[in-house]
Amino acid sequence: MSFLKEKSKEIEEKFFSKGKPLEKLYPLFDALDTFLLTPGKITRKAPHVRDSVDIKRVMIFVVVALLPCIMLGIYNVGFQILKAQGSVGSLPEIMLKGSVKVLPIIIVTYMVGGLWEGIFAIIRKHEINEGFLVTGILFALTLPPSIPLWQVAVGISFGVVFGKEIFGGTGYNFLNPALTARAFIFFAYPAQMSGDAVWAAVDGFSQATPLAVVAASPKGASAVAALADAGYSLKQVFLGFIPGSIGETSTAACLAGLIFLLITRVASWRIIAGCVVGMFSMSSLFLLFKGPESLAFFSLPPYWHMVMGGFAFGAIFMATDPVSSSATNVGRWIYGFLIGGLVVLIRMVNPAYPEGVMLAILFMNIFAPTIDHFVVQANVNKRLKRVKAVKES
Amino acid sequence: MATYNLRKGRDINLKGKAAKEFVKLPLPKQIAIQPTDFRGLKPRLLVKIGDVVKVGTPLIVDKKHPEIKFVSSASGKVCAINRGEKRLLLEVVIETDGKQDAEKFETVGEQKLKTLTKKKVTELMLNSGLWPIIRQRPFSKVANPEDNPKSIFVRALNTDPLGPDVDFILQGKEKDFQLGVEALTHLTEGKVFVCTKKDTQIKFSATTKNIETHQFSGPHPTGNVSTHIHLLDPINKGDIVWYVEAQDVVRLGRFFTNGEYPAERVVAITGDIVKNRVYAQTIIGTPVSALLQGTALQNTRCISGSILSGKNVGKNGFLGFYDAQVTVIPEGGRREFLGWLVPGFGKYTFSHTYASAFLPEKEVSLDTDENGGHRAIVLNHLYDEYVSLDIVTYFLLKAIIAGDIEEAEKLGILECDEEDFSLCTFACPSKVDVGAIIRKGLDLIEKES
């Protein structure tokens, strides 16, 4: 690679180093340069050695973990289109149909998100952060396949600028930028973001998602029976061949990503475990207190809750964002538990929003520092107690 | 006596251990005393080029405490006084004459040592130039002789990568070690804690009731003095604790028996590119080149100390005052094509993001490459795994960066030293220098108090 190495040095010295014409665009050069070749900087003082892992590697691994969701998402979008048109296609046909819908969304997200990231890096003179690779794909996967591309651009712009960059960029934000982006367009353009007509990318076709089916069932009805009537089996919902956001429908794909994240230890298992426990406890509680006149949602067993909507996707990929989640181990359990509980609560008690994962996570993003405060205070108190013990003796 | 089995932290299993063999090196041609070895010291120079000095002749004193002297460890004459930026005094170099003539101080003897007062021990140590072996916490600087420390810690184990085996170094020196510890008991009304590794071979007995021995096992940073203080006699605001390295305690014991400044030092020579990896018997302030003879040093980093906490002294530098180890590793600066994409069978990592993490652990060679670009902290859950203290590292860092001293103190910064966080810096994928932030916080507190 000595050819690349020399070329890179030559270009840097000619255009991008201090006092050269393109000095201001150095972050862009640096991003491309370190994409191709490792930075090759050395330590100056102790510790004289460093781990081989860097943020690039970590962020790329999250994207890799999302590959099953991306692939299944593309397949499902194609599958739903053909289904709505009343035809069955071969695998290449399905993937082609799906790609035509999904790839433009991903490309627009990356181009617009990357542009903002680049602008801020140049103004602030810092390196371009690989975090936007994750933010971008996460955002794209939470969208309905029929979304207009200009809304995608508006959404990611809001998420990157107001969810992240105005606080200083990746590492300083307190909200998950991908969810901030999604929440923004969810409230700004509800017609394109919710309802029954947006989940299959075919004009004039509408089909209720499983969550909408349950939400629309009359009081006292059995949710499971209503789902069966609408043609949803547990297996089908688990595998994700149902209408929904691009990458969220398949719990199976999310679990494949989870296994990868757990093996490589990139995501915090405590948060995910907390989410599952919280979701399980809350939905069991509702099941326990189910009466003849209660909402159909009360009768939905916990395992249905887990596979429906964006729960698996949110718990595995969104709640675990280390920057906007709790930063203490005890805090991570509490944070996860409350997200799981809140998801059920929003789904059931607030019929305006059949899905509650996005709002639950954003809400807990805001509360994460408060949770941490109490955990950290416990550590401080240990120290204060020690001082007191000394004074008394 | 108690045994502590610690779990937090991690050992870096580096190639290039020193063989368990003492080799006596010839007297080096030069030695140097380096004021930068002593944290926060404002030195006043007492000698000029050409002055003739003996072993134990003061070369510099502390401006704030002129009674604290820093002495020559060899006889000869002053041949260079090297300064850095802003005339910062870096080295006072002595050209040795090979005679090792020594200044004579009072000989106390084993019997009389038991009856000495704090004042007398302090006076003897100050005059002989041995006082700087005692450092204090918080701040890791040379102890102030007027302070009354609540306890004194003797560190007789080392868990740094390729760190010297203190058990081995103390072989045959147990008598001096015993005397040295007994001398330290006069300096505190509290305890003297002797901390060793588990199942230590050091023959030592707690002869008075204010000596306690404790054993530690576990990965680095189990051997750091902060760990011992944290577990045995934690520092609260306003407390002062002193600590001494075991080898220096041996020197202290010897001083009380023969009345001369003991200049000897055993150094573990480590790093897999080094030719003769042994325990070298030499003197304080020896040039590293004298320790590394026969090793090709092009494009290498010579570290006085370990890869985690040592100082880059260069191939013409000198051994640090407190160091008992020299490590040589290759310099980094590789530029790998698509490095973020490779499987990485040969890449060393604490994380599980390279294939090497799933292979059986073996000894590794590391260089000085940073292996990535600098970013803001993202993976904030890593730090606490590699700190042996009960500290919420990420929040302590935030408090320091925000300049909130009060909060930092509440979070336990006074119990810390930057070396306790070297593994955090090592493991951080954002390449954040955690220790430097801790040091910034400590400096800020010291300045304001």
Side-chain angles (χ1 to χ4, degrees), chain A residues 139 142-159 180-199 353 358:
Chain A
F139 172 69
T142 59
L143 298 173
S146 63
I147 189 162
L149 291 179
W150 67 268
Q151 287 183 5
V152 176
V154 171
I156 193 66
S157 300
F158 185 86
T180 309
R182 190 187 195 274
F184 177 74
I185 51 170
F186 177 77
F187 289 111
Y189 311 108
Q192 284 81 20
M193 283 296 289
S194 51
D196 293 341
V198 300
W199 307 113
Y353 308 117
M358 173 183 80

Side-chain angles (χ1 to χ4, degrees), chain A residues 36 43 48 51 57 130 382, chain B residues 301 338 349-350 353 375:
Chain A
L36 292 172
T43 57
H48 298 276
D51 198 300
R57 183 86 173 176
E130 296 80 6
K382 260 189 244 171
Chain B
R301 182 168 298 187
L338 298 185
T349 178
F350 285 179
T353 55
R375 299 289 184 271

Side-chain angles (χ1 to χ4, degrees), chain A residues 266-383:
Chain A
V266 170
S268 163
W269 61 272
R270 289 183 180 87
I271 293 175
I272 303 170
C275 284
V276 172
V277 174
M279 148 76 78
F280 194 86
S281 320
M282 194 58 135
S283 51
S284 305
L285 207 67
F286 275 108
L287 198 60
L288 211 63
F289 287 100
K290 176 186 69 157
E293 276 304 293
S294 48
L295 291 167
F297 249 128
F298 278 52
S299 66
L300 197 66
Y303 55 88
W304 266 101
H305 269 290
M306 306 244 176
V307 298
M308 281 161 65
F311 177 71
F313 190 83
I316 294 167
F317 297 111
M318 293 285 194
T320 50
D321 169 15
V323 178
S324 57
S325 63
S326 235
T328 55
N329 278 342
V330 179
R332 287 186 184 100
W333 275 105
I334 300 170
Y335 165 87
F337 184 88
L338 291 177
I339 287 177
L342 266 177
V343 168
V344 178
L345 211 62
I346 299 174
R347 278 181 184 178
M348 291 190 180
V349 181
N350 189 341
Y353 308 117
E355 178 53 309
V357 174
M358 173 183 80
L359 294 174
I361 295 174
L362 282 175
F363 193 70
M364 289 315 299
N365 280 171
I366 295 168
F367 271 93
T370 314
I371 298 171
D372 283 338
H373 171 79
F374 287 107
V375 179
V376 170
Q377 201 55 43
N379 183 280
V380 170
N381 287 344
K382 260 189 244 171
R383 221 161 267 120

Side-chain angles (χ1 to χ4, degrees), chain A residues 13-241:
Chain A
E13 277 168 6
K14 220 170 182 174
F15 299 108
F16 294 98
S17 50
K18 268 220 167 83
K20 292 286 156 37
L22 299 178
E23 179 195 342
K24 288 218 162 87
L25 299 181
Y26 180 79
L28 302 183
F29 167 78
D30 178 71
L32 181 68
D33 183 45
T34 58
F35 170 85
L36 292 172
L37 298 164
T38 54
K41 299 249 164 60
I42 56 172
T43 57
R44 293 281 155 220
K45 55 188 191 60
H48 298 276
V49 293
R50 292 289 198 279
D51 198 300
S52 296
V53 70
D54 64 349
I55 285 294
K56 242 189 206 62
R57 183 86 173 176
V58 171
M59 293 298 180
I60 294 292
F61 268 43
V62 181
V63 175
V64 171
L66 282 161
L67 282 177
C69 287
I70 299 170
M71 298 318 288
L72 234 90
I74 291 174
Y75 177 87
N76 186 45
V77 168
F79 175 75
Q80 296 296 335
I81 292 172
L82 288 167
K83 198 174 147 203
Q85 291 166 343
S87 65
V88 187
S90 62
L91 182 67
E93 206 179 333
I94 293 175
M95 290 306 276
L96 185 71
K97 282 265 183 216
S99 303
V100 169
K101 276 286 160 200
V102 176
L103 291 185
I105 295 178
I106 295 178
I107 291 167
V108 167
T109 312
Y110 272 151
M111 277 174 50
V112 177
L115 184 72
W116 284 115
E117 185 77 36
I119 290 173
F120 275 89
I122 290 167
I123 295 174
R124 292 232 179 83
K125 300 184 176 65
H126 62 63
E127 288 114 330
I128 289 184
N129 200 303
E130 296 80 6
F132 90 94
L133 294 175
V134 174
T135 305
I137 194 71
L138 281 176
F139 172 69
L141 291 177
T142 59
L143 298 173
S146 63
I147 189 162
L149 291 179
W150 67 268
Q151 287 183 5
V152 176
V154 171
I156 193 66
S157 300
F158 185 86
V160 169
V161 176
F162 290 95
K164 191 171 81 174
E165 291 297 349
I166 57 165
F167 300 107
T170 305
Y172 302 101
N173 50 305
F174 72 101
L175 289 174
N176 184 320
L179 280 182
T180 309
R182 190 187 195 274
F184 177 74
I185 51 170
F186 177 77
F187 289 111
Y189 311 108
Q192 284 81 20
M193 283 296 289
S194 51
D196 293 341
V198 300
W199 307 113
V202 177
D203 283 342
F205 178 83
S206 90
Q207 187 188 358
T209 63
L211 280 169
V213 168
V214 179
S217 304
K219 279 187 181 171
S222 156
V224 180
L227 283 165
D229 283 348
Y232 290 122
S233 71
L234 187 63
K235 185 180 161 199
Q236 188 191 8
V237 176
F238 173 74
L239 292 177
F241 302 123

